[in-house]
Amino acid sequence: KQEVTQIPAALSVPEGENLVLNCSFTDSAIYNLQWFRQDPGKGLTSLLLIQSSQREQTSGRLNASLDKSSGRSTLYIAASQPGDSATYLCAVSPPQGGSEKLVFGKGTKLTVNP
Amino acid sequence: NAGVTQTPKFRVLKTGQSMTLLCAQDMNHEYMYWYRQDPGMGLRLIHYSVGEGTTAKGEVPDGYNVSRLKKQNFLLGLESAAPSQTSVYFCASRRGAYSNQPQHFGDGTRLSIL
């Protein structure tokens, strides 16, 4: 059974710092990996999706990498801002079936202090 | 473009009562999903649908029923609510199989069972 772990559970950094969030998964047979952001009281917003054949994806100050063989992904946030404060969730989809039944990690709660 | 809309946003029920949560999407997506999010448990898939008229069980389907009579709507029913079903419920949709497009989430329904 696929399990997704995110460490740390919470992270607090000063504004302007570059930071890395970690995600690990137990089964390397995945179709894709997604990073989401969740603001308090809101739903999830997709940030980046990395296909299994890709190594990384970038969007603005965000860069996500994928190492399938080691079962790891990282989300790099450059020059963090208070508006980046949110919970970040990682999710993987299994390769079979195509229904994309995502398996989520429990998230990392990020606080960026001004 | 509303995306994914969930109604109601909040609800309090007594044990044994029934209710239906409605999810509507205006993106012509084939796939739709119901998740529940609980502290310390992360997001878990309840049921999903790969097209109009289809439904399938997810990770935690017991105590819930679903219907997808129209492509744009996905209903989640609780026939006899129990305190263990107190949770935040999220609906999501996705374009289709192997599209490598992300899931789009609604803002959630916060349900309390007394």
Side-chain angles (χ1 to χ4, degrees), chain B:
Chain B
N1 187 352
V4 178
T5 302
Q6 293 183 233
T7 53
K9 296 188 184 305
F10 304 92
R11 186 74 183 267
V12 178
L13 290 179
K14 294 181 179 178
T15 298
Q17 288 184 318
S18 64
M19 79 162 295
T20 300
L21 281 64
L22 170 64
C23 176
Q25 52 93 6
D26 62 2
M27 297 171 283
N28 201 35
H29 284 172
E30 290 293 331
Y31 288 12
M32 296 186 74
Y33 309 81
W34 276 107
Y35 295 90
R36 61 178 289 174
Q37 187 176 37
D38 303 289
M41 299 294 292
L43 274 145
R44 293 179 292 170
L45 182 65
I46 305 171
H47 287 280
Y48 65 101
S49 167
V50 299
E52 181 178 315
T54 75
T55 62
K57 293 180 180 180
E59 182 184 355
V60 288
D62 294 342
Y64 305 95
N65 56 76
V66 287
S67 63
R68 183 105 182 264
L69 299 180
K70 294 182 179 180
K71 185 177 183 178
Q72 64 268 33
N73 295 336
F74 195 27
L75 306 179
L76 178 70
L78 286 72
E79 290 187 348
S80 180
S84 62
Q85 294 177 305
T86 293
S87 187
V88 181
Y89 293 85
F90 288 101
C91 175
S93 71
R94 178 171 159 264
R95 182 174 297 173
Y98 299 111
S99 69
N100 266 316
Q101 294 294 314
Q103 291 189 11
H104 295 257
F105 281 77
D107 283 343
T109 294
R110 282 142 189 86
L111 183 61
S112 293
I113 316 295
L114 304 179

Side-chain angles (χ1 to χ4, degrees), chain A residues 81-104:
Chain A
Q81 304 170 358
D84 295 329
S85 297
T87 297
Y88 291 81
L89 294 133
C90 163
V92 298
S93 64
Q96 68 273 15
S99 63
E100 198 188 282
K101 291 186 288 183
L102 295 178
V103 178
F104 284 84

Side-chain angles (χ1 to χ4, degrees), chain A residues 6 24 44-45 56 65 87 95 104:
Chain A
Q6 293 185 246
S24 62
L44 281 66
T45 300
E56 65 177 348
S65 68
T87 297
F104 284 84

Side-chain angles (χ1 to χ4, degrees), chain A residues 5-113:
Chain A
T5 303
Q6 293 185 246
I7 295 174
L11 181 64
S12 181
V13 300
E15 181 177 3
E17 189 164 299
N18 301 326
L19 59 99
V20 174
L21 306 180
N22 297 296
C23 171
S24 62
F25 45 96
T26 55
D27 187 347
S28 62
I30 64 171
Y31 187 63
N32 61 45
L33 182 144
Q34 299 179 46
W35 282 94
F36 293 88
R37 168 185 173 138
Q38 185 175 27
D39 293 291
K42 295 292 186 180
L44 281 66
T45 300
S46 179
L47 296 173
L48 290 164
L49 183 152
I50 309 176
Q51 299 179 37
S52 60
S53 58
Q54 297 176 321
R55 297 282 293 181
E56 65 177 348
Q57 281 284 339
T58 298
S59 177
R61 294 183 293 108
L62 306 179
N63 176 277
S65 68
L66 173 65
D67 184 342
K68 267 184 40 175
S69 61
S70 66
R72 294 180 181 179
S73 175
T74 61
L75 179 67
Y76 174 82
I77 302 177
S80 59
Q81 304 170 358
D84 295 329
S85 297
T87 297
Y88 291 81
L89 294 133
C90 163
V92 298
S93 64
Q96 68 273 15
S99 63
E100 198 188 282
K101 291 186 288 183
L102 295 178
V103 178
F104 284 84
K106 295 178 181 178
T108 294
K109 183 177 181 180
L110 173 65
T111 302
V112 180
N113 301 301

